[in-house]
Amino acid sequence: MPADKGGSRALLRALRAVMAGPGDGQQRLDKVVRLVANNMVAEVCSIYLKRDEHTLELCATEGLRQDAVHSARLRIGQGLVGRIAERAEPLVTEDAPSTPGFRYLPETGEEIYHSFVGVPVQRLGQVMGVLVVQNQTRRHYTEEEVEALEIVAMVISEMAEAGAFLGSEGVSTSLGRRVGPVVFEGEGACEGLAEGVVHLHEPRLVVFDPIAEDISVERARLAEAMEALKGEVDQLADGSEGVPREQREIFEAYRMFAHDKGWRRRLDEAVNSGLAAEVAVEKVQSDARARLERVADPYLRERLQDLDDLANRLLRHLLRGEVPREPRLPRNAVLVARNIGPAELMDHAGKIAGLVLEEGSQTSHAAVVARALAIPTVVQAVRITRDANPGDRIIIDGELGRVDLRPEGGIIEAFREKIALANQAKEVYRTLRGKPATTLDGHTVRLNMNAGVLADLPSIEASGAEGVGLFRTELQFMIRQNLPGRDAQAVIYSRVMDAAAGREVVFRTLDIGSDKILPYMRREEEPNPALGWRAIRVGLDRPKLFRMQIQSLIRGARGRPLSIMFPMVAEADEYRAARGLLEGEVARLASMGHPRPERLRIGMMLETPSLVFAADRMFQEADFISVGGNDLMQFFFAADRENERVRRRYDVLNFSFLRMLRQVVQRCAAAGTPLAYCGEAAGRPLEALVLAAIGFRELSMRPASIGPVKRALLAADLGDLRAAMERADRSGETSARIALRAWAEAGGVPV
Ligand code: PEP
Ligand code: MG
C-alpha cells in the first residue's frame, strides 16, 4: 500500500489520467477500482454507492464477482459497509467475518477475504458511498494506509461531483442531485407562504481537477489564499466599528480560527498528500464536520457553522475569478442553506421572501430571528442544498413545513390560490385593527403581542396589538456571542419602549436554562433540564446577573412606566425574593440620581401547578399574573414540550386543564389581581375563545395571531360557548375540542 506520500501521489496522478481519459462513467469506475487494488496490493477493491437514502449498491469491483455489480445491495447501517456509510467513519479489521455486524453477501464471493478496510466516500459532510479494500490473508492496515484510502475516496467524490461517472448505471441517480420536482417535508419554523427562486447561501463549488499536478504550486496557492483570508478576516474584525456588537464578536472568532495553527497544519498535510488545494480544504472541513457533529455541546456545534463559513471563504480565495464572489440576490429570493447564523440572517432582513434550512430546529436561533422578521421558514429540509440549483423555482409553506422545489403547474396554481386566500384574510384583519375585541355578549378582551427582539416591534402597529404582554428578554442574550453588558441592555430596553410608543411592555426577566441555552454560559449537564436549574431559579442563584438586568431595565425606562415579571415562579418565597431585589435596585438607582419609573408593576408568570394552590396572600402580593401555558401544560401533563413524541399528546382544551385555569381565574378575581394568558394557545382562535369564556380578559400572542383571534371573538357569544362546553363536560368528554368545533361550525364562528 502506498503508505508514503510519494506512493499516494503516484496513485492520484494515475486517477487523474483515468478521469481525463476516454470511456463512459462505468468504464471509469472500473478503472478506478483496478488502479486502487493494484496500487494497494489488494486482491479486492470495490466502490459501493448510495442508490437512495437507505440503500448502497456495489457499483464497481476488482476481485469480487463481476455479476454482483449493480445487483448486490445492502441497507445503510447493515454489515460493515453499511455501518461505514451510517457513521461516516473508516472501519479497519484483520478478520472481517468475526467482526461484530459483519454480513456476508453470498453473490459477491467475499467470504474468503479476511482483512478489510473501508472508508466513506463523502463530499461536504454528505456520504455518497463507501470504498473498500480487502485481502485474503490477515494483514494489518496502518493509519497511513487508511489515510491514503481516504484521500482516494475524497478524489472519487470530487470526480463524481464533476460528472466523471455519469452514464454508469445507478451512478447518475445516486450521485447526481435530483432533477425535476422534489418535495421536502420539513418542519415549519415560521408560518407564511412564499413563492420565489432559490438563492443558495453558499453556492456549491465544483472542482474539476481534484488532483494536484504540481504539489509545490498547490502549496503556494494555499499559502496565498490563506494570507488573503487572514487579511479579509482581520479587516472584518478591525473595521467593524459601528457594526452591532454581536457581529463584531463573530468576526473576532473568525480571526481566531483563521490564525489557528492546527487548521493550517491539517490543510498542509492534505495538500502534501497530492490533493488540489480546494479539495484539501474540503477534506479538512469534512473531517471537522464528522468530529463536531458527534459533539453534544450545542456551543461547539454552533462553532461548526463558523468553521464552514471560514472554509467557504478560503475556497473563494482559491477559486478567485472562477466564481462570482457574492451572487446578487434575485427578486423574491428564497434563501436555501445548510444552516445560517442569527447575525447572518439579520443581514438578509427585508431582502428575502423565505428561508429553507437543512438543519436547525423550531427553537434554533435562526428560527427565532426568522420569526422576529416574519420570514416564512422551513427547517429540516433534508438534502435540499444538494438538490437545489440557484434560480430554481421554489415554494414554501412555513406552517406545514413543506417545500416544493421546481414545482409543476398544478401545484403552483393551488399554492397561488392559498396565497390569495391568505391575503384576503389579512385584508379582513387589517380592517379590524383599530376595533376592540368585544364579543357578541359584550365582553372585551385585551389582545397583546409577544415579542423578543427589536425587529418584532414594528408588528405592534401592523397587528393592532394593544401592548406587549410578554417580552422574552432572553432572546437578546441567545442571539449574541457574549453576555450583553448593562449599557447594551439598557439601550435595547429603551428602544423597545420607544417603539411601543406609550403602550405597555411587560418585560420578563431572563428565562434561561432547559431549552434556552446561552452559548457563552457554562452549563452543568442536568438529567432533566425542564425540571432543572432554570428561569427565576437561575436569577436568584446568580443575583449579579439578575440585578444587572434589573438595573438595565430601570435605566432603559428613563422614568417611564415599567412592567416586569418573573418566569416560572414555583412558590411565594421566590416571588418575594425577586421582588425584594428589584425594589432594592430601584431605590439604589434612585439614590444615584436615576429617575424612578413613573409606575412600577411587578408580576409573575404562573407556569407551575404549585402556584395555583399557593396561599391567598400570594395572589394579593403580585401586581399581576400571566399564565405561561406552554410550561404549565408540560408540568400539568408531565409531557415535555420539546419532545415530539409527547408534546401534542394532551390538549389545552382538556377539561382537567381548564378546571385548573378556572381556579386561577377565581383566585385572581378574589384577590383583585389582573390576569393574562401568554402561552401559544392564546394565539389559536378556538383556544382563545375558551380562555375568554372561562374569564381571561387579557391574552398575549404572536402578532400574526391577533387578527384571527379578534375575528373569532367578534363573532362569538361567550355565554353560548360556555353552555356548549358545560354540556360536553357533563357528558364525560375528555376535551372540549370536538364539541366546540361543532358549536363554532353551527354558529358560523371562524375558528
Ligand atoms: C410559557 O411557558 O407559556 C411561556 C409563555 O414562556 P416560554 O414559552 O418562553 O417558556
Ligand atoms: Mg415558560
Side-chain angles (χ1 to χ4, degrees):
M1 250 201 197
D4 62 299
K5 294 268 188 261
S8 96
R9 281 182 214 149
L11 173 56
L12 291 186
R13 271 198 298 276
L15 281 172
R16 187 155 188 260
V18 168
M19 205 165 94
D24 68 10
Q26 186 64 49
Q27 287 164 337
R28 283 190 177 134
L29 273 179
D30 293 341
K31 281 187 198 160
V32 169
V33 286
R34 213 170 307 136
L35 208 70
V36 176
N38 282 343
N39 241 277
M40 299 207 165
V41 199
E43 281 114 17
V44 175
C45 174
S46 313
I47 295 178
Y48 297 80
L49 293 171
K50 266 187 169 176
R51 183 77 179 177
D52 56 46
E53 275 311 286
H54 312 289
T55 322
L56 285 163
E57 179 177 302
L58 178 65
C59 284
T61 186
E62 170 73 9
L64 297 183
R65 286 173 45 180
Q66 286 303 319
D67 53 3
V69 171
H70 296 305
S71 72
R73 291 188 182 172
L74 69 172
R75 291 181 70 77
I76 305 288
Q78 193 180 47
L80 303 187
V81 173
R83 201 191 319 163
I84 293 166
E86 183 179 57
R87 299 189 181 169
E89 267 178 357
L91 193 152
V92 192
T93 170
E94 285 178 39
D95 188 14
S98 66
T99 304
F102 175 78
R103 184 174 174 274
Y104 149 63
L105 294 175
E107 63 272 38
T108 63
E110 66 175 337
E111 68 276 19
I112 55 171
Y113 300 101
H114 280 91
S115 319
F116 172 106
V117 53
V119 297
V121 176
Q122 57 183 330
R123 188 168 191 272
L124 301 176
Q126 281 177 351
V127 174
M128 299 167 153
V130 177
L131 173 65
V132 173
V133 164
Q134 288 167 287
N135 279 82
Q136 269 193 37
T137 52
R138 291 180 191 215
R139 69 177 260 196
H140 174 71
Y141 298 100
T142 63
E143 255 180 46
E144 287 74 21
E145 287 172 318
V146 178
E147 171 88 23
L149 204 58
E150 281 186 304
I151 294 207
V152 172
M154 187 77 210
V155 170
I156 291 174
S157 72
E158 292 297 333
M159 291 164 85
E161 185 69 23
F165 305 131
L166 287 178
S168 17
E169 191 192 336
V171 176
S172 53
T173 48
S174 56
L175 285 186
R177 57 195 70 92
R178 286 178 282 184
V179 290
V182 190
V183 179
F184 298 85
E185 302 281 355
E187 275 179 43
C190 177
E191 66 206 1
L193 306 167
E195 178 185 355
V197 292
V198 168
H199 176 72
L200 286 179
H201 180 45
E202 293 297 353
R204 267 190 309 273
L205 301 171
V206 178
V207 181
F208 288 98
D209 194 354
I211 299 158
E213 193 172 344
D214 179 343
I215 289 186
S216 57
V217 170
E218 295 306 304
R219 269 194 221 119
R221 288 183 65 224
L222 178 66
E224 195 185 328
M226 276 306 277
E227 283 315 304
L229 174 73
K230 283 186 200 162
E232 175 192 25
V233 171
D234 286 346
Q235 217 175 3
L236 279 173
D238 294 338
S240 56
E241 259 171 50
V243 166
R245 167 101 171 256
E246 71 263 29
Q247 227 157 299
R248 243 179 10 226
E249 284 158 0
I250 290 174
F251 295 149
E252 279 300 339
Y254 279 18
R255 171 153 46 195
M256 212 177 70
F257 285 134
H259 289 264
D260 180 61
K261 290 208 173 70
W263 192 46
R264 180 60 198 267
R265 182 176 42 74
R266 285 191 285 276
L267 288 168
D268 284 340
E269 279 172 10
V271 163
N272 286 339
S273 66
L275 293 174
E278 295 86 348
V279 184
V281 175
E282 284 188 10
K283 177 176 186 305
V284 170
Q285 194 50 15
S286 278
D287 294 348
R289 280 203 143 258
R291 271 198 318 277
L292 282 171
E293 266 171 355
R294 275 189 281 276
V295 172
D297 187 325
Y299 175 72
L300 281 179
R301 267 186 288 134
E302 289 255 330
R303 300 285 67 74
L304 180 57
Q305 220 174 293
D306 297 347
L307 265 179
D308 271 345
D309 188 21
L310 207 64
N312 278 323
R313 283 171 195 260
L314 183 56
L315 282 174
R316 288 211 159 66
H317 283 295
L318 280 167
L319 293 165
R320 213 176 24 212
E322 292 169 47
V323 284
R325 267 182 71 83
E326 220 8 277
R328 277 167 58 86
L329 272 179
R331 241 169 62 80
N332 284 336
V334 170
L335 195 64
V336 174
R338 194 199 283 262
N339 211 339
I340 190 168
E344 277 174 300
L345 184 53
M346 285 277 195
D347 289 342
H348 287 88
K351 299 184 204 152
I352 55 172
L355 172 67
V356 183
L357 300 179
E358 271 185 12
E359 300 176 353
S361 71
Q362 294 181 347
T363 50
S364 65
H365 301 174
V368 168
V369 172
R371 283 197 289 274
L373 301 173
I375 301 170
T377 298
V378 173
V379 295
Q380 293 293 321
V382 177
R383 276 179 49 128
I384 191 161
T385 59
R386 188 160 174 77
D387 291 333
N389 302 300
D392 279 349
R393 189 191 285 271
I394 185 170
I395 55 188
I396 74 175
D397 184 329
E399 192 176 349
L400 299 180
R402 179 184 161 121
V403 178
D404 281 88
L405 182 63
R406 300 179 288 265
E408 278 162 344
I411 301 267
I412 297 176
E413 255 166 53
F415 189 80
R416 288 192 179 153
E417 266 169 38
K418 200 169 171 179
I419 290 188
L421 275 175
N423 285 342
Q424 269 172 24
K426 266 194 212 150
E427 197 42 44
V428 173
Y429 305 145
R430 221 171 52 79
T431 61
L432 302 179
R433 232 168 17 193
K435 279 194 180 170
T438 305
T439 62
L440 293 179
D441 49 348
H443 300 286
T444 300
V445 182
R446 181 183 161 94
L447 302 183
N448 289 328
M449 64 173 242
N450 294 345
V453 289
L454 256 171
D456 282 325
L457 268 298
S459 306
I460 205 166
E461 288 290 344
S463 66
E466 290 178 67
V468 177
L470 166 65
F471 189 89
R472 294 177 160 108
T473 59
E474 62 276 4
L475 296 192
Q476 295 295 336
F477 289 69
M478 284 163 65
I479 61 174
R480 285 176 154 69
Q481 302 293 315
N482 279 328
L483 187 73
R486 197 177 288 109
D487 292 342
Q489 283 189 53
V491 168
I492 294 164
Y493 304 140
S494 176
R495 288 214 196 126
V496 170
M497 295 178 83
D498 293 345
R503 299 178 188 87
E504 183 182 32
V505 179
V506 178
F507 291 96
R508 171 174 76 185
T509 58
L510 263 185
D511 182 14
I512 49 174
S514 190
D515 58 312
K516 295 170 189 157
I517 295 152
L518 303 188
Y520 40 84
M521 209 164 131
R522 248 174 58 91
R523 244 175 11 119
E524 307 276 322
E525 277 303 316
E526 291 185 296
N528 207 337
L531 305 178
W533 193 60
R534 50 173 297 205
I536 195 63
R537 299 168 185 175
V538 178
L540 293 174
D541 291 355
R542 290 270 184 280
K544 248 169 96 176
L545 182 70
F546 184 73
R547 284 184 18 226
M548 179 163 106
Q549 186 179 30
I550 301 289
Q551 289 161 13
S552 311
L553 282 162
I554 298 167
R555 287 185 186 197
R558 294 199 313 271
R560 288 173 283 190
L562 182 61
S563 301
I564 296 178
M565 67 180 172
F566 310 126
M568 224 187 83
V569 174
E571 60 170 26
D573 288 348
E574 288 171 347
Y575 174 73
R576 288 182 192 130
R579 186 174 181 127
L581 282 171
L582 199 168
E583 286 173 338
E585 285 312 307
V586 174
R588 218 170 60 80
L589 285 186
S591 72
M592 289 162 62
H594 291 279
R596 275 177 191 272
E598 188 184 311
R599 188 172 67 121
L600 187 61
R601 292 179 81 223
I602 308 175
M604 65 176 154
M605 291 191 73
L606 190 151
E607 303 188 90
T608 62
S610 63
L611 215 55
V612 181
F613 305 98
D616 290 341
R617 234 187 88 195
M618 165 86 267
F619 285 86
Q620 291 153 3
E621 282 172 19
D623 294 342
F624 63 94
I625 287 177
S626 188
V627 174
N630 307 335
D631 274 311
L632 188 58
M633 276 281 288
Q634 81 165 340
F635 298 132
F636 187 72
F637 288 109
D640 186 345
R641 64 191 267 194
E642 295 297 315
N643 181 341
E644 284 299 329
R645 291 178 83 163
V646 299
R647 77 188 194 102
R648 286 186 232 275
R649 200 175 181 108
Y650 305 99
D651 192 350
V652 187
L653 299 187
N654 183 306
F655 283 113
S656 324
F657 191 64
L658 295 182
R659 256 186 282 282
M660 176 172 65
L661 290 181
R662 214 180 276 133
Q663 193 165 339
V664 175
V665 171
Q666 284 159 3
R667 301 204 62 187
C668 284
T673 305
L675 173 67
Y677 189 104
C678 64
E680 296 294 326
R684 293 195 286 269
L686 186 62
E687 282 83 335
L689 289 180
V690 172
L691 291 169
I694 62 178
F696 282 86
R697 289 292 171 267
E698 191 172 329
L699 304 175
S700 195
M701 62 200 75
R702 285 194 293 169
S705 299
I706 289 185
V709 165
K710 190 183 280 186
R711 188 173 61 161
L713 283 164
L714 288 169
D717 181 309
L718 295 185
D720 253 17
L721 185 148
R722 239 185 331 263
M725 219 161 77
E726 276 156 21
R727 277 196 302 277
D729 194 8
R730 273 199 304 276
S731 74
E733 303 212 4
T734 307
S735 158
R737 187 169 303 275
I738 293 173
L740 293 186
R741 274 232 191 91
W743 166 86
E745 202 163 314
V749 181
V751 292

